[in-house]
Amino acid sequence: MKTAILLVTGNSLSLAETLHQEMNDSEIFTLEHFPGCTYISSLSDFIEENFDEYDAFIFICAMGICVRTIAPHVKDKHTDPAVICVDSMGRNAISVLSGHIGQANKITQDVAHILGANPVISTLSDNSGLWALDTLGQEFGWEVLVGMSHAYYKNIELLDDDEEEESDEGEDYNEEEEYGEDEDEEYDEDEEEEYDEDEEEEYDEDEEEEYDEDEEEEYDEDEEEIEDDNSIILQMRDGTNYNEKTKEFNVIINLFVNKYRTALLLEIRDEGTDYLERTRPQHVDVYYHRSDMDLSQYKLLIIVSPFMFFDPAIANIQYIPRILHVGLGLALDPPEFEELFVNLVVGAPGKNICGQAIKEVATIDVKRNVEVIKILQKLVDVRFYTAEELSQVEVPNPSTTVQKYMGTPSVCEAAAILSSHHGVLYAEKFKGLSNKSTFAIAIENGYLRQGHIEIVGAGPGNPDLISVRGRQMLEKADLILYAGSLVPRELTFCAKPGATVRNSASMDLEEQFALMKKFYDEGKFIVRLHTGDPCIYGAIQEQMNYFDQHHMSYHITPGISSFQAAAAALKSQFTIPEKVQSIILTRGEGRTPMPEREQLHLLARSQSTMCIFLSAGIAEQVQEELLQEYPETTPVAVCYHLTWKDERIYRGELKDLAKIVKENNLTLTTMIVVGEAIDNREGLSRLYAHEFKHLFRK
C-alpha cells in the first residue's frame, strides 16, 4: 500500500521514521529539511496534487490541521484514500477517512501497534464487533451485489431511541454517536442543512405520490407499527457525491448495525462462511436452503452464493464467491464473442448463475488459437485440456460426434469437471443460442454444502497446543474420529452438543472409512483428529487415497509436531551456526521396513540433529546403528509424553541410550533426540550482527 507519512514539525521525526521503517512502500514528507525525508513547501499543495496518488496518508499533527487539509478533496468513501492522524506525541492514532473500504481502520490498528499508541476508531461495526458489510467481500475474495428495489423504501425506518435501548446487547442507542462519530465522514454535521432543506423536497414531495399513494397498501399496512419512526434517508448524508446504489448500501449497513432481524443464507461453504457462522451476531439467523426461510420475519437478507437471488420485497446484499467452472465446446464454425458472452453469463437454463462467480473457462487445447477464445482470455482465465485428459472423465452426456472429431466423448462436461477438480456438475451440457457452442457448469470441489472431512493435527498432547483453526474445526464437527492411542481425549471436550465422538484405536481402516462415509453422505462435517502434525507419521496417506477415489471433499489443518515440542522442552535450538544446520525426522526399522538408502547409520553420517519417532521399542538397535557414525558421547534426550501432564525427559549420552529407555520403561509416545544441538549455547548467528546488512537493516 503506497503510503505518505506527513510530518508537520520536526519534534515528531522519530515517530515518522519508526513508521517508515515498519511500513513497506512508505515515504516521509516534511516541511523542513531532514535526511531521508522528502521536503515539501506546502502541506495543502501536496495534498491537492497527490490526494489520488496514494492509498493512505498518515498525518502526524493536530487533528484540526489534518481535517482542514483534506476537506476540499473528500469525494466518496468508495474512492477516497485512507487518512490517519497521529498526535505529535504518538499517544493516539485516529482513523479519519475511509475506515472500511480504504482500510483506514486496519492501518490505524497497525500504526497503533507499531508506536504503542491508542487506536481510535469510531465506526459502530468495529466497536460493536459486527461485520463490516462494505469490506466483507474483500476479505474473502467475494464480489458484492446490493438488492433493494422497493424494499429500499420499505426498510428505511430506524428504530427510535427507546427501542434501541432494549437491544440484545443492552447498549444505549445514541443517535448523535452513530451519525456524528461512527460515520463522521458520511453523516457530517455540515451536511445536516443540506438534507433538512435540499433533500426534503425530494423525498417528501417528489416521492410522496409514488410511495404514499401507489404503494400505500403494501407498505403502510406492513409497517404500521413503526410508521412514526425516523427515516434513514433524512439522517443520511447524500449531497452530490453519492449515487443511488451507494445510498442503498448505506441503508443496508444501517439496518444491520441497528440490529434489525437479519437472515443469513449460506449456499456454499468456504473460509468466509465458516467465519460468518462462527461470529454470527444474535440478531442474525443462519439458513442453508432458500426454501427454509420465511423472509416476512426479517428486514435484511445477507446471501453468500454464486446463484442470483430475486426478491424485491426485502433489502439484501449478496456476496458472490468465484467458484464456478464453465466447460466450453466450440463448433468448427464458432459463434461471435457477443453470443458466447451472453451464454456464459445467462445461458444456463433455469440456473440463474451470477457471471461474477465464474472462476475459469475450460476447453480442449485444439481450440487454443480460435479468435473467440483469444478475446475470452482477456476477460477470464481459460484452461486447456488435451483430448486424452478429457476422455478419462466420466460424463452424463457423451457424444459419438464429439468423439469422432475431437478424440474424446466430451469436451464441455469433461472440461468443467476437470477444471473444478472433480466438483459437482451443476448444469449439464446445454447448447448456445446458435448451436455453435456447448456449455457445462461445475461448482469447484469442496465449496458445496456437502459432506467434508477435515484432517486436523492435534499437536503433541497438551490441549492448549492445538491450533486456533484446529479447535474451531473440532467445535463445529458432527463427527470427531480421534486416534485415541495417541491423542488425549481432553482434546474432544470442546465438541458441540450432539456431536458424535469416536475413538479409532480399535478400528481398522475399513471401519474408519465406513464411519466417515456414513456421515459424509449425510452432508455432515467430519474431523479426523491425529496426533502432532498429521503429515508426519500420521498414517493419512491411505485415508486420502480413499477420499480421492470417492471424490470426497477434504482438507488438512496442520499441527505442532512432537519434534518441535521436544526442542521447546529441551530449550534447544536444533540448528546451530557452523555446527549443525539440518534436522532429520526419521524412525528405526521395526515392523515397517525402512528404505535401504534411509537406514539410520547412513543418515547418521551427516551428524545432523536427529529426531527419531516410534522407536523406543527398538532402542538397542537404534543405538547400535547410530554409534557407527556418532561419537558415543553425543548428547541424547529421551522424551516421553511431550507436553502431557506426565511428561518426562531423560538426558544422557548416546552410549547409554538403550539403558535409559529400558530402565524407565519407555515405549509408546516417546521421541528420541540425538545431536550436538541439545543444550548447546555456542555459535552465534550472523542475522543480528551489527555489521550484517540485509533488506531490512541497511
Side-chain angles (χ1 to χ4, degrees):
M1 177 171 283
K2 188 178 180 182
T3 303
I5 302 171
L6 303 170
L7 186 65
V8 174
T9 171
N11 295 333
S12 305
L13 179 61
S14 61
L15 298 176
E17 291 175 335
T18 300
L19 290 174
H20 173 59
Q21 185 178 7
E22 295 293 328
M23 303 180 75
N24 295 329
D25 199 17
S26 64
E27 186 175 359
I28 302 174
F29 298 90
T30 63
L31 297 174
E32 303 176 51
H33 293 280
F34 295 109
C37 304
T38 302
Y39 171 77
I40 58 175
S41 60
S42 168
L43 196 62
S44 58
D45 289 348
F46 175 82
I47 292 297
E48 182 177 2
E49 296 170 3
N50 295 278
F51 195 68
D52 297 326
E53 301 299 320
Y54 287 84
D55 301 306
F57 294 90
I58 301 175
F59 287 76
I60 305 179
C61 61
M63 174 68 84
I65 297 174
C66 170
V67 172
R68 285 192 294 272
T69 304
I70 67 171
H73 312 288
V74 175
K75 303 180 183 68
D76 189 324
K77 70 176 184 179
H78 293 84
T79 58
D80 289 335
V83 177
I84 298 90
C85 184
V86 179
D87 69 87
S88 58
M89 301 299 294
R91 294 172 180 170
N92 298 285
I94 307 165
S95 178
V96 180
L97 187 69
S98 288
H100 286 158
I101 297 175
Q103 301 186 56
N105 290 355
K106 180 182 182 302
I107 298 171
T108 297
Q109 294 281 6
D110 293 340
V111 168
H113 180 74
I114 294 169
L115 300 178
N118 176 45
V120 181
I121 296 171
S122 59
T123 47
L124 181 59
S125 58
D126 292 79
N127 292 327
S128 61
L130 298 174
W131 307 321
L133 298 184
D134 49 356
T135 59
L136 190 62
Q138 297 175 11
E139 294 181 45
F140 304 108
W142 298 333
E143 298 290 334
V144 183
L145 285 180
V146 176
M148 295 293 293
S149 187
H150 66 257
Y152 173 55
Y153 301 94
K154 181 180 180 180
N155 292 295
I156 60 176
E157 293 82 2
L158 279 177
L159 291 172
D160 61 26
D161 293 356
D162 292 337
E163 288 177 305
E164 189 62 20
E165 288 176 0
E166 298 174 2
S167 66
D168 292 337
E169 295 187 3
E171 298 179 355
D172 290 338
Y173 173 69
N174 189 315
E175 186 177 283
E176 182 179 351
E177 177 182 343
E178 181 176 345
Y179 295 103
E181 297 179 8
D182 174 52
E183 299 291 347
D184 189 56
E185 64 183 275
E186 186 173 344
Y187 306 99
D188 198 311
E189 192 177 283
D190 295 337
E191 297 293 336
E192 185 176 333
E193 182 179 347
E194 181 179 345
Y195 271 93
D196 288 344
E197 297 179 7
D198 297 343
E199 294 298 318
E200 185 175 290
E201 180 180 349
E202 180 180 346
Y203 291 100
D204 290 351
E205 296 179 11
D206 295 344
E207 302 292 7
E208 183 178 1
E209 180 179 347
E210 181 179 355
Y211 295 101
D212 289 347
E213 296 179 8
D214 296 343
E215 303 292 342
E216 183 178 3
E217 182 178 347
E218 181 176 357
Y219 297 112
D220 289 353
E221 190 175 297
D222 294 340
E223 301 298 316
E224 185 177 358
E225 63 187 63
I226 56 173
E227 66 180 8
D228 295 327
D229 289 341
N230 294 324
S231 169
I232 288 179
I233 296 299
L234 298 180
Q235 306 262 0
M236 289 175 56
R237 194 191 85 174
D238 181 18
T240 59
N241 293 332
Y242 291 85
N243 58 28
E244 191 69 18
K245 190 59 68 177
T246 300
K247 285 194 291 184
E248 293 177 0
F249 207 153
N250 288 338
V251 171
I252 285 174
I253 291 174
N254 275 279
L255 288 169
F256 182 67
V257 300
N258 283 288
K259 300 180 182 177
Y260 273 99
R261 285 198 68 188
T262 299
L264 175 63
L265 175 61
L266 305 177
E267 292 192 310
I268 59 102
R269 172 187 281 149
D270 65 4
E271 179 185 3
T273 62
D274 286 346
Y275 167 78
L276 294 181
E277 288 192 88
R278 189 170 63 252
T279 59
R280 176 183 64 85
Q282 291 186 356
H283 69 289
V284 177
D285 298 326
V286 179
Y287 297 92
Y288 305 118
H289 306 286
R290 303 186 183 199
S291 58
D292 295 338
M293 299 187 300
D294 179 6
L295 294 180
S296 66
Q297 304 300 311
Y298 300 96
K299 291 292 186 182
L300 176 64
L301 171 64
I302 301 173
I303 312 155
V304 183
S305 175
F307 311 116
M308 294 293 294
F309 181 88
F310 301 100
D311 192 337
I314 186 169
N316 63 84
I317 180 170
Q318 179 168 352
Y319 298 99
I320 306 170
R322 296 180 67 242
I323 60 172
L324 299 185
H325 295 252
V326 180
L328 172 63
L330 294 175
L332 296 176
D333 179 24
E336 297 293 327
F337 175 76
E338 290 75 12
E339 178 186 329
L340 185 68
F341 182 79
V342 169
N343 277 282
L344 279 175
V345 178
V346 297
K351 298 301 184 180
N352 294 327
I353 70 166
C354 299
Q356 301 94 323
I358 297 175
K359 181 177 183 178
E360 192 172 79
V361 175
T363 189
I364 194 167
D365 60 352
V366 298
K367 302 293 184 178
R368 184 186 298 270
N369 294 319
V370 175
E371 186 62 27
V372 71
I373 295 295
K374 292 181 178 180
I375 300 174
L376 187 62
Q377 286 180 292
K378 298 177 181 179
L379 301 176
V380 67
D381 291 336
V382 180
R383 183 182 294 268
F384 300 96
Y385 294 100
T386 65
E388 182 179 0
E389 290 173 315
L390 296 171
S391 64
Q392 302 302 312
V393 181
E394 185 176 344
V395 298
N397 300 288
S399 168
T400 55
T401 302
V402 176
Q403 175 71 62
K404 178 180 178 181
Y405 290 100
M406 294 288 106
T408 172
S410 171
V411 171
C412 66
E413 290 182 334
I417 292 171
L418 286 178
S419 177
S420 65
H421 308 291
H422 289 275
V424 176
L425 196 61
Y426 182 75
E428 296 183 4
K429 181 171 69 175
F430 61 95
K431 293 183 178 181
L433 298 174
S434 62
N435 294 330
K436 294 182 177 181
S437 56
T438 57
F439 302 85
I441 302 172
I443 301 173
E444 189 166 326
N445 190 22
Y447 285 90
L448 270 186
R449 289 209 157 266
Q450 59 183 9
H452 177 78
I453 300 167
E454 191 74 18
I455 303 171
V456 175
N462 189 320
D464 290 342
L465 291 178
I466 192 171
S467 69
V468 173
R469 177 181 170 85
R471 183 169 292 278
Q472 290 171 351
M473 298 297 101
L474 289 171
E475 290 171 349
K476 67 180 289 187
D478 299 300
L479 167 67
I480 299 175
L481 183 63
Y482 72 103
S485 61
L486 302 169
V487 175
R489 189 170 179 272
E490 288 80 0
L491 275 161
T492 69
F493 290 173
C494 61
K496 68 182 182 182
T500 300
V501 180
R502 295 286 303 276
N503 185 344
S504 67
S506 63
M507 301 180 183
D508 59 27
L509 280 176
E510 286 71 23
E511 290 173 315
Q512 296 173 32
F513 295 155
L515 179 61
M516 287 189 285
K517 186 71 162 53
K518 175 181 180 296
F519 277 78
Y520 187 96
D521 290 344
E522 294 172 358
K524 300 297 179 62
F525 188 88
I526 303 149
V527 167
R528 182 67 173 106
L529 188 62
H530 282 269
T531 185
D533 182 276
C535 297
I536 302 176
Y537 300 111
I540 65 171
Q541 179 176 328
E542 55 263 48
Q543 299 177 60
M544 293 189 294
N545 181 49
Y546 176 88
F547 303 153
D548 289 340
Q549 289 181 25
H550 291 79
H551 301 302
M552 300 169 76
S553 170
Y554 68 94
H555 179 266
I556 300 173
T557 296
I560 297 174
S561 173
S562 55
F563 88 88
Q564 297 167 296
L570 295 169
K571 297 181 180 178
S572 298
Q573 179 179 309
F574 283 176
T575 54
I576 307 298
E578 302 181 19
K579 192 79 171 179
V580 55
Q581 288 289 282
S582 300
I583 305 170
I584 295 176
L585 310 181
T586 189
R587 61 177 296 170
E589 187 170 35
R591 289 182 295 180
T592 301
M594 291 290 290
E596 184 61 36
R597 63 184 180 278
E598 295 183 24
Q599 297 292 315
L600 280 179
H601 68 276
L602 297 177
L603 297 177
R605 291 176 179 176
S606 69
Q607 302 289 292
S608 303
T609 301
M610 191 173 292
C611 300
I612 305 172
F613 295 73
L614 306 169
S615 301
I618 53 171
E620 291 185 3
Q621 176 186 329
V622 169
Q623 176 180 312
E624 181 182 346
E625 283 203 66
L626 294 179
L627 284 173
Q628 296 182 39
E629 300 294 340
Y630 285 101
E632 64 178 15
T633 58
T634 301
V636 298
V638 183
C639 310
Y640 173 77
H641 267 189
L642 283 161
T643 78
W644 294 48
K645 292 179 180 179
D646 59 344
E647 174 187 280
R648 288 178 283 159
I649 296 177
Y650 305 91
R651 288 173 164 86
E653 295 180 340
L654 180 57
K655 61 182 175 61
D656 299 319
L657 172 61
K659 180 182 177 183
I660 293 171
V661 172
K662 184 177 181 180
E663 289 182 351
N664 293 283
N665 298 314
L666 304 177
T667 54
L668 299 175
T669 58
T670 299
M671 166 70 67
I672 299 172
V673 184
V674 182
E676 294 292 334
I678 298 174
D679 297 326
N680 196 308
R681 294 295 184 267
E682 300 177 358
L684 296 177
S685 167
R686 300 296 301 158
L687 181 60
Y688 301 110
H690 69 88
E691 74 276 8
F692 186 70
K693 308 300 181 183
H694 52 73
L695 178 63
F696 299 99
R697 191 171 70 242
K698 301 177 181 178

